[in-house]
Amino acid sequence: MTAELVRGQNHTLPQTRLEIRVSAGAPVVAGATLGDERGTVHGVEWIAHPGSPQLPGLEVSRQAAADHRLAVDLDALPDEVHRVTVLLALPLESGGPTRFGAVASPFVAVTGLEGTEIATFTLTGLDTESAVTALELYRRQGGWKVRAVGQGYAGGLAAMLADQGVDRAAELAGSIQEAVARGLARSVAPPPPRTPEGDRVRHATTPAPAPGAGQPPVPPPPAQEPGPAGPQAAPGGPIDYAHPRRQSAAPPPPPPAAAPADPGQPVQPVAGDATGWSMDERLYNQVWGMFEDLARATAAYRSAVDFAESRMDQELERTLSDPRSRIGGTGDRAREQARAKRDELTGRAREALDRDLSQLAAESAVVEPALPASYAGWDNPVWHAYRVPMEIPMALRIGDLHLPEDTTLRIPLLVRLPLERGIWIDSGRTASEAAALTGTDQLRRLAMESAVLHAARLLAVYPADEFSVHVIDPAGSATAALAPLVRSGVLAGPPASGPGGVSSVLAQLTRRVDLVQMAIRAGAADSLPPDLDPAEQLLIVNDFPHGFDDRAVTQLRYLADEGPSVGVHLLMVADREDASEYGPVLDPLWRSLLRITPVADDHLADPWVGHAWTYEPLRTPPGSAVLDLVLAQVAAARRAGHR
């Protein structure tokens, strides 16, 4: 039976391997500190936070999120640790809420590995505080207990750490917030909820072990809000496509999955297996569901492998610390047994992962051919039947993502339309193997070609005359890459070059942002000047900051910050090292943009677990004329609209 705690109440913990689940109404930072008998934290090495997420027996999330799962193994904590304190803080550099009183009350649950709640606590009564001590786990008479704390700090993370005896708490708090800001900048934003019951519900195939059974910690399925009861996944079985929460009347349910001829076989996946008002929305939600499933299944596998390695190390340490084990072959036998147990545990974890990967691969095989043009790769036949659309789609595919556990299983990276943040194509040399094998000039060329492909996709998925593209190419170095856009006549004007061209385009778009903002504030959107282009605007900037003076840089930052809300978007092609002379002044600019690369690179993070995903840019098939065909259709539709 779950203990619903109030502030100050405690409860005995029946097991030592736990998960602490956090749900908040906005992204929060989750961390934990280790304390001695007096609760004193002895240094930064006793603090787990997004910049340093792992300690012996403790792992926290690598980034700020609205939902967290903290893994705790109390038996693996050092003997001198008597207290584990769970901390929550608001990310102060994200532009979001700065006090807990402005968000929904955070909810914290201590659960077993199988997901059974042991104790819960809702942190109510918070107001000006931006950091809070949520729970503490502490030793008592040979066992462990949990206490609901709920102590808030208006002084933020620094005040909370100082209260626990941490030296240079303000400096550490600043470094944690900096790590969080970096994580948010590289994180793929999750899709907003469409309806109260519109989430895709997927059940992990990996069975959770019984507490204390010596199994690796495999995280249970994602926590869901209460919903109608329905079928569940059988232990070790395939992903359940019954989706209990889809029994609601709105939005419409997906088409039924094909039942297998053999009841013992997995249910065959179908395209559109998610809630939504249209097939496009169902496919969008299905792709994001696959993304989350792969993230969580891989997290379960990696956690199991880490546990198996940790268990082997602990068994070897206990055995070899006994002098008697050094006599004869006792030590060798202990090593062999520990390694055999490690191999058994990791093997079982890999089998569970392979089941999930197989099911997701089968789903991907039926989803990819069914995707509309805006979600499809350039090699999809849907582009050869392309027609200019009559309305804006939900999202746009800008690349593919995969993890090293299975590089053949690719997840489409879909971003919502209209774009909510700009895009930065990094033309610099990154740490990836692909970048190391590519010359500097070739990287710059590939980056600009990627920008052209993204611009072409945006032009193609918007109705005619509802999307305009401007180009700033100060030195004229991108002439060859821009040729498809120029010769098709789809640009708003010739690519701007030289200081005068840069200044003219930036002034035009800055004026548009100013006028639209003023009209919106005045409630007079119909009073905009007749020469103002009402279409969404995309500005491609090549080779930044060459050709930009200080005023132009300021205007570009203004467009990055204020433009998306009024339909002006940035697509920058730049090497950050080229702008190093500006120092930290441009840090907000880089963070405001979604960074992608012209070659494969593992820099993007998912919003659930924080894995580093390899991003693969989209390319047209070698020798294909699909790009020219699509741009010709766009240009023809625009000419027809002007007759």
Side-chain angles (χ1 to χ4, degrees):
M1 183 175 178
T2 303
E4 298 181 0
L5 304 180
V6 297
R7 187 175 281 107
Q9 191 175 4
N10 60 52
H11 183 72
T12 301
L13 294 173
Q15 58 201 79
T16 56
R17 289 176 48 216
L18 309 162
E19 275 195 346
I20 299 173
R21 303 185 182 186
V22 178
S23 297
V28 297
V29 182
T33 61
L34 305 181
D36 60 17
E37 291 178 323
R38 296 184 300 277
T40 301
V41 179
H42 284 226
V44 294
E45 65 276 8
W46 279 33
I47 304 173
H49 57 81
S52 179
Q54 290 183 315
L55 295 177
L58 179 63
E59 182 173 1
V60 303
S61 302
R62 290 168 169 79
Q63 61 193 44
D67 298 287
H68 291 272
R69 291 186 178 190
L70 285 62
V72 181
D73 184 351
L74 297 173
D75 288 339
L77 295 173
D79 292 339
E80 57 270 28
V81 172
H82 286 253
R83 187 177 302 176
V84 179
T85 304
V86 178
L87 316 174
L88 303 178
L90 292 170
L92 300 182
E93 298 185 27
S94 65
T98 58
R99 60 187 187 89
F100 274 107
V103 302
S105 298
F107 173 81
V108 185
V110 180
T111 76
L113 296 182
E114 76 289 354
T116 302
E117 290 184 346
I118 299 170
T120 64
F121 176 42
T122 301
L123 286 78
T124 58
L126 298 175
D127 186 11
T128 61
E129 299 88 344
S130 61
V132 60
T133 299
L135 297 173
E136 62 180 17
L137 314 180
Y138 60 98
R139 295 184 193 265
R140 180 59 56 87
Q141 297 178 350
W144 285 86
K145 287 188 172 186
V146 57
R147 177 185 291 118
V149 181
Q151 174 64 54
Y153 293 84
L157 194 56
M160 181 166 54
L161 293 173
D163 195 37
Q164 296 189 39
V166 178
D167 292 333
R168 304 171 70 179
E171 181 179 336
L172 176 59
S175 68
I176 293 173
Q177 292 285 4
E178 176 70 18
V180 171
R182 290 195 301 268
L184 288 172
R186 74 185 188 95
S187 175
V188 178
R194 300 290 295 173
T195 66
E197 300 189 2
D199 296 338
R200 168 188 172 93
V201 179
R202 301 285 299 253
H203 300 283
T205 68
T206 306
Q215 302 295 330
V218 180
Q224 305 295 336
E225 298 173 9
Q232 300 293 317
I239 294 173
D240 182 359
Y241 279 85
H243 301 272
R245 289 178 64 190
R246 294 182 182 173
Q247 296 179 13
S248 64
D262 182 355
Q265 295 299 314
V267 175
Q268 296 303 308
V270 295
D273 181 32
T275 54
W277 293 103
S278 65
M279 178 55 77
D280 283 5
E281 184 176 3
R282 290 175 177 175
L283 287 167
Y284 172 82
N285 290 332
Q286 186 172 14
V287 168
W288 270 92
M290 293 165 60
F291 188 9
E292 182 175 0
D293 288 343
L294 182 54
R296 294 196 185 279
T298 303
Y301 168 71
R302 293 180 181 179
S303 178
V305 171
D306 289 344
F307 172 78
E309 293 287 349
S310 175
R311 173 178 175 148
M312 182 186 71
D313 292 341
Q314 291 176 24
E315 290 179 351
L316 289 176
E317 183 178 357
R318 285 196 299 267
T319 300
L320 298 180
S321 63
D322 185 354
R324 292 172 296 181
S325 66
R326 302 168 192 165
I327 302 174
T330 304
D332 293 337
R333 287 193 297 272
R335 275 188 286 268
E336 291 176 2
Q337 292 172 355
R339 288 169 183 154
K341 185 62 175 177
R342 185 268 318 268
D343 293 343
E344 177 189 356
L345 294 175
T346 56
R348 289 210 301 264
R350 184 70 210 196
E351 289 175 3
L353 176 65
D354 287 342
R355 287 196 299 269
D356 285 348
L357 293 178
S358 176
Q359 187 71 16
L360 286 168
E363 188 172 9
S364 178
V366 299
V367 167
E368 278 286 355
L371 294 177
S374 58
Y375 301 177
W378 286 111
D379 57 350
N380 192 309
V382 70
W383 284 106
H384 293 278
Y386 166 77
R387 293 293 182 270
V388 176
M390 300 298 292
E391 59 183 22
I392 303 171
M394 283 187 62
L396 182 76
R397 185 173 185 164
I398 62 170
D400 293 333
L401 299 172
H402 65 81
L403 291 171
E405 281 75 9
D406 186 349
T407 58
T408 64
L409 181 55
R410 306 294 176 93
I411 303 295
L413 175 56
L414 303 180
V415 295
R416 289 294 293 262
L417 293 179
L419 294 173
E420 296 171 349
R421 62 192 292 199
I423 297 174
W424 162 33
I425 302 178
D426 190 348
S427 61
R429 186 170 299 283
T430 63
S432 73
E433 181 180 356
L437 298 174
T438 308
T440 301
D441 292 341
Q442 187 179 5
L443 278 174
R444 294 180 185 272
R445 177 180 61 80
L446 290 174
M448 197 59 202
E449 289 176 355
S450 292
V452 169
L453 290 175
H454 290 307
R457 291 177 73 87
L458 284 162
L459 285 164
V461 303
Y462 271 77
D465 291 329
E466 291 193 20
F467 198 86
S468 296
V469 177
H470 309 260
V471 177
I472 289 178
D473 184 21
S477 60
T479 301
L482 290 168
L485 298 177
V486 173
R487 65 171 174 258
S488 64
V490 295
L491 293 178
S497 59
V502 172
S503 176
S504 175
V505 173
L506 290 176
Q508 175 187 346
L509 293 177
T510 300
R511 172 178 175 267
R512 185 189 189 282
V513 171
D514 289 341
L515 290 175
V516 174
Q517 284 186 335
M518 286 190 291
I520 292 174
R521 284 195 293 265
D526 56 350
S527 64
L528 290 168
D531 65 334
L532 190 78
D533 183 1
E536 296 272 318
Q537 309 287 312
L538 178 72
L539 173 60
I540 301 176
V541 178
N542 180 44
D543 221 11
F544 176 81
H546 300 299
F548 281 72
D549 56 22
D550 289 346
R551 184 171 184 271
V553 169
T554 300
Q555 288 177 311
L556 194 69
R557 288 185 56 187
Y558 176 72
L559 292 178
D561 292 339
E562 303 295 335
S565 64
V566 291
V568 177
H569 314 284
L570 284 185
L571 177 53
M572 288 186 56
V573 178
D575 179 356
R576 189 168 182 172
E577 288 300 316
D578 291 344
S580 59
E581 64 185 76
Y582 289 94
V585 172
L586 289 181
D587 284 353
L589 172 65
W590 304 120
R591 289 175 182 166
S592 70
L593 305 174
L594 175 63
R595 175 178 172 257
I596 57 178
T597 49
V599 295
D601 188 86
D602 60 347
H603 66 282
L604 288 177
D606 64 81
W608 306 284
V609 183
H611 294 314
W613 293 72
T614 296
Y615 168 82
E616 293 274 1
L618 298 176
R619 300 274 183 224
T620 54
S624 173
V626 64
L627 178 61
D628 290 329
L629 292 173
V630 168
L631 290 176
Q633 290 259 20
V634 173
R638 293 187 170 198
R639 289 193 298 269
H642 293 162
R643 290 174 185 170

